[in-house]
Amino acid sequence: AQSVTQLGSHVSVSEGALVLLRCNYSSSVPPYLFWYVQYPNQGLQLLLKYTTGATLVKGINGFEAEFKKSETSFHLTKPSAHMSDAAEYFCAVSPSNDYKLSFGAGTTVTVRA
Amino acid sequence: DGGITQSPKYLFRKEGQNVTLSCEQNLNHDAMYWYRQDPGQGLRLIYYSQIVNDFQKGDIAEGYSVSREKKESFPLTVTSAQKNPTAFYLCASTKQGLAGDTQYFGPGTRLTVL
């Protein structure tokens, strides 16, 4: 079985500041890891994913995440926040032998001018 | 443009009524999924289908039913047996339903029970 914990349901950052969203997972087999973004009343859009290979993954809109097996983490970062980054972000995990995704509870990001 | 469409965007239902939410994709994807989203709880899987005429229950299937008669379509019926149906419902699809496949999401249907 797998599970996902996102630390902090709300994060507030100033425009231009670092965005850091934390995600820890548990999985009985090697995981595949995903970050999705959701704007109000819309569906989810993939930001990035890790399956195999390089542990630092770059995604859309300047986001990146690093898979750290020893820490069972997959934190999402962006060096400089933009007003358009205000949204809800979901971390998700699937075991490498199953297609079913388990989602975290989400983190809402607010960007202050 | 390829994508997933869901209709209606907003749906109001009286208690005791069944309602059907539409999900259509033109991505030529084999697998389709239905999720329920409640505030602060992330997404929970209701049903999924990896191939036409076959589907499996997810984690919270009670009070819901689905059909998969065509590759492009995966409608969800919320029955009167679902005790708390007010939620945001999301449909998704993947190319083959394999581990690691990216899930593509529709824009969602917000269901409110009056």
Side-chain angles (χ1 to χ4, degrees), chain A residues 48-94:
Chain A
L48 48 80
K49 70 177 183 181
Y50 168 80
T51 53
T52 58
T55 56
L56 182 62
V57 181
K58 294 187 185 302
I60 62 171
N61 302 339
F63 284 94
E64 63 181 36
E66 187 171 11
F67 169 54
K68 291 188 176 181
K69 183 178 177 181
S70 61
E71 298 177 9
T72 61
S73 70
F74 192 57
H75 301 332
L76 181 72
T77 60
K78 181 173 180 177
S80 177
H82 191 271
M83 298 299 286
S84 61
D85 295 325
E88 189 162 19
Y89 293 80
F90 292 92
C91 182
V93 62
S94 74

Side-chain angles (χ1 to χ4, degrees), chain A residues 32 34 36 38 41-46 49 51 88 90 94-106, chain B residues 9-10 33 35 37 40-43 45 48 50 56 59 88 90 97-103 105-107 110:
Chain A
Y32 291 159
F34 305 77
Y36 282 88
Q38 184 181 35
N41 291 311
Q42 293 187 25
L44 277 67
Q45 179 184 9
L46 181 72
K49 70 177 183 181
T51 53
E88 189 162 19
F90 292 92
S94 74
S96 51
N97 59 358
D98 192 351
Y99 56 89
K100 288 173 66 177
L101 278 182
S102 295
F103 286 85
Chain B
K9 188 171 177 64
Y10 298 96
Y33 311 79
Y35 291 93
Q37 184 178 17
Q41 293 193 44
L43 279 67
L45 183 64
Y48 59 96
Q50 289 187 284
Q56 284 78 42
D59 300 320
F88 191 50
L90 289 160
L98 300 176
D101 278 357
T102 297
Q103 293 203 8
F105 286 82
R110 188 166 297 280

